[in-house]
Amino acid sequence: MKNCKAPAFVVAIFFATFAQGVCHHDRGTHSEVGFSGQMEGIHHLHNCGNVSYNISGSSCCNGNISPGLSQLVADCCGSVAYNPLNEICCDSKVLTQSSTHVKCCGKDMYLTTTHMCCGGNRIFNRKENLSCCGNTTFDKTTHCCCANPELVVMPKHETCCPKATDEMKESQQGSPPTLTLPKNSEPKCRTIPFNPQEKMCCSGKLYKASALTKCCGEHVYTLSDDSVLCCNGVLHRNVPEQSECVGGVIYTAANTTCQMSTRPRLGEHCCGGQTFNPRTHICCNGHSHNKMNGNFCCGSEVYDHHNQFLRCCSGHLYNLTQSRGKAECCGNLLLQYNNNQTCCSSSTNSIIYQTKPKHRCCGLYYYNTSLWSCCAEHLKPTPKPNSSPAEYRIKPLMDLIPEMCNKTVFFGKVESVALANYQRHVVLKVVGQVNVKSEKVIKDPWLHVSLDHCNSPATDNGMTYLWEENHNGKYKLLSHPVDLTSDIYMFYSVCYQKKG
Ligand SMILES: *[C@@H]1O[C@H](CO)[C@@H](O)[C@H](O)[C@H]1NC(C)=O
Ligand SMILES: *[C@@H]1O[C@H](CO)[C@@H](O)[C@H](O)[C@H]1NC(C)=O
Ligand SMILES: *[C@@H]1O[C@H](CO)[C@@H](O)[C@H](O)[C@H]1NC(C)=O
Ligand SMILES: *[C@@H]1O[C@H](CO)[C@@H](O)[C@H](O)[C@H]1NC(C)=O
Ligand SMILES: *[C@@H]1O[C@H](CO)[C@@H](O)[C@H](O)[C@H]1NC(C)=O
Ligand SMILES: *[C@@H]1O[C@H](CO)[C@@H](O)[C@H](O)[C@H]1NC(C)=O
Ligand SMILES: *[C@@H]1O[C@H](CO)[C@@H](O)[C@H](O)[C@H]1NC(C)=O
Ligand SMILES: *[C@@H]1O[C@H](CO)[C@@H](O)[C@H](O)[C@H]1NC(C)=O
Ligand SMILES: *[C@@H]1O[C@H](CO)[C@@H](O)[C@H](O)[C@H]1NC(C)=O
């Protein structure tokens, strides 16, 4: 029933209930696709036929681009993309699901709880003891379905009907055969046994063993030979003395160009392929910039965070001078028209959807509230008509700057979680407070926070998040997990500079 024409790559593991899976239509390398946490824009541009498109905003089906729906969450129905949470593809037509318990029967959909589909295209009311036989139904208590040679319904006593004992046998055949593990004996090189006292095995090749001999991939070398160097499993011969292998690259004293960002043996720092002076310049992803233009990197660019017209969205720098109204980041994209677009995000990815009535985000997914409900970023196929909408979205820490500088916020690490009566009780360890204005300091580093479990985003043990303390002493989760080493410094420096 899946209809993925492009090389299928199922990533349904996110939710057990997300039974239909998600097809990727990516023709490039799979490793670049979403979910890995990579947010570089380059990874979001793919080819559809000869046209390039953004997988974070469109899908490619059979060489056609469907705008408005990211293929990270779409399935293909013939040449159009659809959201498999809320729609179903039957016989190349997209139908709006009436329930999460629908399936296709030919070109129609049916409710699996009340109906059944026989012969692939005929729908019957589901009744106790009623089964399909080809394209008709029969009563299991009085009849059977015989292959005669076509499937026909016969009274139970006919010879073609299976006997009770046959049915028993069939159901017992399912047990898996037990494997007998080979006994562990002498060491083998590929398949050949060898004596490790005399020989050594280098990736399947046998050599005479010696204390000074080492393997390098499938070759051997002696430690006393200083004209060879083994670098990441590749044996290099005739290398100059005192060469070194750093990250798979051989550095020699004569090699004066910058090949990596860290050069252990040269007196100068490298940025990309060039040297740079870290006192006057800043290196962003291998691109060197004058520090005068700013102190923070956004991808490969540098920017001045005091400039309120610049927005850094996960490594993409946007100039807001021309944009009217509110603009906010959605992953590495800029959400401009928040009247007809919605951003759904998980801690690793973000997707822009065309806003639809009675639809909501559940992590990365955008669902019809008549079909699904959402609890702590997990979809459930049981709609909850009266559930209140989540009124805010958690964001990457950088996207919360500078608004957060004004608020009573702190970094809290989730130490322990307990669920009780729809409440999630979280024990937080305060690891840092960004409280520029108020003198109030959180004295006890251990906080007990209660969240409405289903209406709150997921919180992982051991992760640190930005939290807000409201006036009424309640706490609210604000950010995705933060990177303690890089994000927090920027947060502090921006907020404290704001003050001064
Ligand atoms: C795709 O996204 C990039 C940023 O990630 C943006 O610069 C570009 O304009 C987008 N292209 C389209 C066709 O939306
Ligand atoms: C893509 O290919 C089609 C035919 O294969 C052609 O008509 C079209 O102009 C091409 N588009 C681009 C952008 O090259
Ligand atoms: C949401 O699902 C319900 C039930 O199937 C359907 O009637 C409604 O049209 C759907 N809403 C949208 C906007 O598709
Ligand atoms: C279905 O089969 C069971 C067992 O044979 C019987 O007890 C029950 O009455 C049957 N139900 C209907 C609706 O015929
Ligand atoms: C049901 O199947 C039989 C044979 O498999 C076929 O002859 C008959 O036309 C089918 N009936 C319908 C309504 O599809
Ligand atoms: C310097 O290192 C680069 C990168 O490995 C290599 O391609 C180049 O040949 C080296 N130059 C010399 C002189 O060894
Ligand atoms: C942003 O755009 C405006 C108008 O196009 C331009 O004057 C300004 O220099 C741009 N700022 C940056 C940092 O590129
Ligand atoms: C969204 O709204 C903007 C202006 O508010 C409009 O230009 C754009 O066409 C709209 N997009 C869609 C898909 O309706
Ligand atoms: C901070 O608060 C002041 C008033 O308390 C307000 O005028 C200002 O806009 C706020 N700044 C931000 C970035 O929210």
Side-chain angles (χ1 to χ4, degrees):
M1 68 167 268
K2 286 177 68 65
N3 197 2
C4 306
K5 299 278 161 56
F9 175 52
V10 178
V11 286
I13 42 174
F14 265 60
F15 310 108
T17 51
F18 193 179
Q20 292 200 263
V22 175
C23 299
H24 276 262
H25 321 275
D26 173 51
R27 284 166 212 280
T29 55
H30 283 160
S31 60
E32 297 177 351
V33 177
F35 300 108
S36 63
Q38 282 274 22
M39 295 304 302
E40 286 293 305
I42 209 160
H43 293 160
H44 281 237
L45 279 182
H46 292 246
N47 286 327
C48 187
N50 54 3
V51 185
S52 90
Y53 70 106
N54 273 349
I55 62 163
S56 49
S58 352
S59 306
C60 177
C61 292
N62 274 350
N64 290 305
I65 294 177
S66 299
L69 185 61
S70 165
Q71 81 177 33
L72 295 174
V73 291
D75 266 358
C76 283
C77 187
S79 304
V80 297
Y82 68 102
N83 185 339
L85 287 179
N86 311 317
E87 293 161 329
I88 188 170
C89 173
C90 295
D91 203 18
S92 304
K93 271 226 169 82
V94 178
L95 308 172
T96 297
Q97 285 184 33
S98 55
S99 149
T100 49
H101 304 287
V102 291
K103 282 189 174 168
C104 290
C105 187
K107 56 183 170 19
D108 301 310
M109 64 181 176
Y110 70 102
L111 201 52
T112 55
T113 48
T114 55
H115 290 75
M116 54 194 211
C117 176
C118 296
N121 59 5
R122 297 196 60 200
I123 299 171
F124 295 90
N125 280 324
R126 186 174 284 283
K127 279 192 199 121
E128 206 187 342
N129 302 335
L130 205 64
S131 268
C132 286
C133 184
N135 55 15
T136 60
T137 59
F138 69 101
D139 186 330
K140 278 187 289 189
T141 54
T142 55
H143 289 75
C144 81
C145 183
C146 290
N148 196 9
E150 262 152 35
L151 295 179
V152 283
V153 176
M154 290 290 190
K156 229 237 123 154
H157 54 77
E158 287 292 323
T159 46
C160 69
C161 284
K163 302 283 172 299
T165 48
D166 291 351
E167 278 171 16
M168 285 289 287
K169 255 189 224 153
E170 251 174 51
S171 61
Q172 277 172 359
Q173 278 172 357
S175 67
T178 45
L179 277 176
T180 46
L181 290 169
K183 278 203 201 85
N184 203 7
S185 51
E186 72 240 294
K188 285 188 177 168
C189 195
R190 290 257 150 82
T191 51
I192 306 152
F194 72 99
N195 177 357
Q197 252 91 57
E198 291 169 12
K199 299 265 180 168
M200 59 192 284
C201 178
C202 297
S203 297
K205 285 202 174 172
L206 280 172
Y207 294 93
K208 192 165 171 290
S210 135
L212 279 184
T213 307
K214 298 275 174 216
C215 289
C216 184
E218 57 178 28
H219 300 282
V220 284
Y221 67 102
T222 48
L223 292 179
S224 53
D225 183 353
D226 60 9
S227 71
V228 298
L229 186 59
C230 181
C231 194
N232 280 20
V234 179
L235 192 64
H236 297 262
R237 297 178 201 277
N238 302 322
V239 287
E241 259 179 71
Q242 294 170 340
S243 297
E244 277 187 28
C245 164
V246 182
V249 178
I250 293 189
Y251 287 96
T252 67
N255 199 336
T256 52
T257 56
C258 284
Q259 297 298 331
M260 301 176 64
S261 51
T262 48
R263 287 289 314 272
R265 303 178 63 221
L266 273 180
E268 284 179 278
H269 291 274
C270 287
C271 181
Q274 251 126 44
T275 60
F276 87 112
N277 180 351
R279 293 181 198 281
T280 54
H281 285 73
I282 175 171
C283 181
C284 298
N285 270 0
H287 296 258
S288 167
H289 300 274
N290 197 317
K291 264 192 180 172
M292 303 274 278
N293 298 327
N295 270 325
F296 290 102
C297 292
C298 185
S300 305
E301 297 182 74
V302 70
Y303 75 108
D304 176 4
H305 57 270
H306 297 299
N307 185 336
Q308 58 186 39
F309 292 110
L310 294 180
R311 233 332 113 111
C312 180
C313 296
S314 299
H316 275 250
L317 197 59
Y318 291 94
N319 187 342
L320 305 185
T321 313
Q322 257 127 26
S323 81
R324 265 153 278 139
K326 236 175 98 183
E328 62 175 61
C329 294
C330 181
N332 61 358
L333 302 173
L334 194 68
L335 190 65
Q336 295 254 23
Y337 308 114
N338 28 19
N339 55 330
N340 57 12
Q341 290 189 320
T342 301
C343 181
C344 296
S345 58
S346 67
S347 60
T348 54
N349 225 325
S350 302
I351 286 175
I352 294 180
Y353 292 87
Q354 302 299 314
T355 304
K356 286 190 178 177
K358 300 216 168 107
H359 278 55
R360 261 180 227 161
C361 289
C362 189
L364 206 52
Y365 297 98
Y366 193 54
Y367 68 97
N368 183 336
T369 51
S370 318
L371 300 173
W372 304 87
S373 60
C374 181
C375 185
E377 293 182 46
H378 284 261
L379 281 172
K380 302 198 164 180
T382 42
K384 292 217 181 84
N386 299 323
S387 68
S388 58
E391 76 278 18
Y392 70 100
R393 169 169 78 87
I394 60 168
K395 295 175 181 176
L397 188 62
M398 290 306 114
D399 296 356
L400 295 165
I401 298 172
E403 300 93 272
M404 285 311 128
C405 296
N406 258 358
K407 303 192 173 163
T408 309
V409 291
F410 61 92
F411 293 102
K413 184 173 169 217
V414 174
E415 293 285 337
S416 153
V417 172
L419 283 187
N421 300 327
Y422 306 106
Q423 293 281 303
R424 191 188 319 157
H425 301 287
V426 182
V427 175
L428 283 182
K429 189 168 138 196
V430 178
V431 296
Q433 218 176 334
V434 191
N435 203 346
V436 184
K437 247 179 15 183
S438 108
E439 311 77 52
K440 211 181 114 202
V441 171
I442 299 174
K443 294 263 166 55
D444 187 354
W446 300 99
L447 283 183
H448 300 263
V449 171
S450 291
L451 305 168
D452 176 338
H453 175 59
C454 283
N455 281 331
S456 304
T459 45
D460 289 331
N461 271 354
M463 295 298 223
T464 301
Y465 303 83
L466 186 71
W467 301 79
E468 180 182 6
E469 185 184 350
N470 293 339
H471 319 290
N472 51 8
K474 293 236 175 200
Y475 300 98
K476 186 166 122 181
L477 178 59
L478 294 177
S479 79
H480 289 310
V482 297
D483 177 350
L484 287 167
T485 51
S486 62
D487 295 355
I488 288 185
Y489 171 71
M490 177 155 181
F491 202 90
Y492 277 99
S493 66
V494 171
C495 288
Y496 279 92
Q497 280 175 20
K498 281 249 145 201
K499 186 196 183 190

